[in-house]
Amino acid sequence: MDENDAQRARQRLVDYLHREGILYSTKVIKAMETVPRHEFVPEAVRSQAYQDEPLSIGQAQVITAPHLVARMTELLDLHPGMTVLEIGTGSGYHAAVIAEIVGAEHVYTVERLPELARSAREALDRTGYGAVTVVVGDGSRGLPCHPPFDRINVTAVAETIPEPLLEQLAGDGQMVIPLGPREGSHDLVLVTKHQGRVDRVNYGPVRFVPLIGEYGFDGEE
């Protein structure tokens, strides 16, 4: 698709998500109007980039459906200058949406699969978000050399909240994470840390790939 077609398709998608009440804040609407999702998917599925569905990006992974990117980003309540950790870079698209709000230099994203990290790095560089830090590693361990993080966005399901992520979340920080079994339905949970207390609010059923790592699931199917 050419850039004009992509822009029109992107606007139609954002308008749909806004009508459905999934997108509601000006900053997240603007971010999703701006970030070119088609630049973050393989050429073979580029024509489907602005459909509200997950798409294969290889390595048995998917780019998250736009409505979930919108929901998670709205729940994070991002503001410019916040330091954000993302667990599960995937295509790099969600990191770009976050970067559009807080500033690319404030975003750190961890991907366990080197091939995906490399392609995400290329896409972020190509689309103007080159200051995002992409790290290859075990996302369930977080990024201990860089805490605390004002916000943490987890794009893979875990049975319980990984302890390192709670430790690396700032004292008044927020984390969005899907929780549940490896297979079946998962719950999207907003975790808020305040004065030493951890509160959780369930925002309903979702479906994500498993968080693989020391504090997640093992790598075997």
Side-chain angles (χ1 to χ4, degrees):
M1 64 173 61
D2 66 27
E3 289 305 314
N4 289 332
D5 288 341
Q7 188 170 3
R8 285 192 290 270
R10 186 158 64 249
Q11 190 62 57
R12 285 194 298 270
L13 173 63
V14 171
D15 289 346
Y16 162 74
L17 295 173
H18 184 45
R19 286 195 308 271
E20 293 295 308
I22 298 167
L23 273 175
Y24 46 85
S25 68
T26 301
K27 58 194 171 186
V28 182
I29 290 172
K30 181 178 180 297
M32 292 193 68
E33 286 176 338
T34 302
V35 179
R37 190 173 188 251
H38 64 283
E39 293 285 356
F40 291 87
V41 300
E43 186 69 38
V45 295
R46 197 163 272 195
S47 64
Q48 304 168 55
Y50 296 106
Q51 296 177 15
D52 188 20
E53 60 184 33
L55 299 171
S56 174
I57 56 173
Q59 305 291 311
Q61 303 296 303
V62 297
I63 182 174
T64 304
H67 72 274
L68 277 178
V69 173
R71 283 180 67 194
M72 295 172 81
T73 307
E74 291 282 13
L75 286 173
L76 284 169
D77 188 26
L78 301 167
H79 299 280
M82 281 184 167
T83 303
V84 181
L85 173 64
E86 178 186 58
I87 305 302
T89 310
S91 69
Y93 172 70
H94 204 158
V97 171
I98 292 170
E100 185 64 32
I101 299 171
V102 305
E105 68 275 18
H106 301 295
V107 179
Y108 299 80
T109 180
V110 182
E111 172 55 55
R112 71 182 180 90
L113 298 170
E115 298 88 347
L116 288 187
R118 183 165 52 250
S119 61
R121 172 78 279 157
E122 292 170 357
L124 288 163
D125 289 343
R126 187 170 61 244
T127 53
Y129 303 100
V132 169
T133 299
V134 179
V135 178
V136 177
D138 178 355
S140 74
R141 299 178 65 241
L143 206 56
C145 55
H146 284 286
F149 294 99
D150 299 305
R151 300 289 188 266
I152 298 179
N153 185 52
V154 185
T155 67
V157 67
E159 284 191 300
T160 59
I161 302 170
E163 194 60 35
L165 300 187
L166 274 180
E167 292 172 356
Q168 293 167 36
L169 188 63
D172 56 352
Q174 293 179 187
M175 178 194 318
V176 173
I177 180 170
L179 295 176
R182 185 170 191 146
E183 301 293 338
S185 183
H186 310 139
D187 293 317
L188 188 63
V189 177
L190 175 64
V191 179
T192 303
K193 204 173 178 184
H194 182 65
Q195 296 182 346
R197 189 181 69 196
V198 176
D199 294 322
R200 309 179 190 190
V201 179
N202 188 335
Y203 280 86
V206 290
R207 188 71 183 271
F208 279 86
V209 297
L211 177 64
I212 304 298
E214 182 179 354
Y215 295 89
F217 296 98
D218 63 40
E220 298 179 2
E221 296 295 338

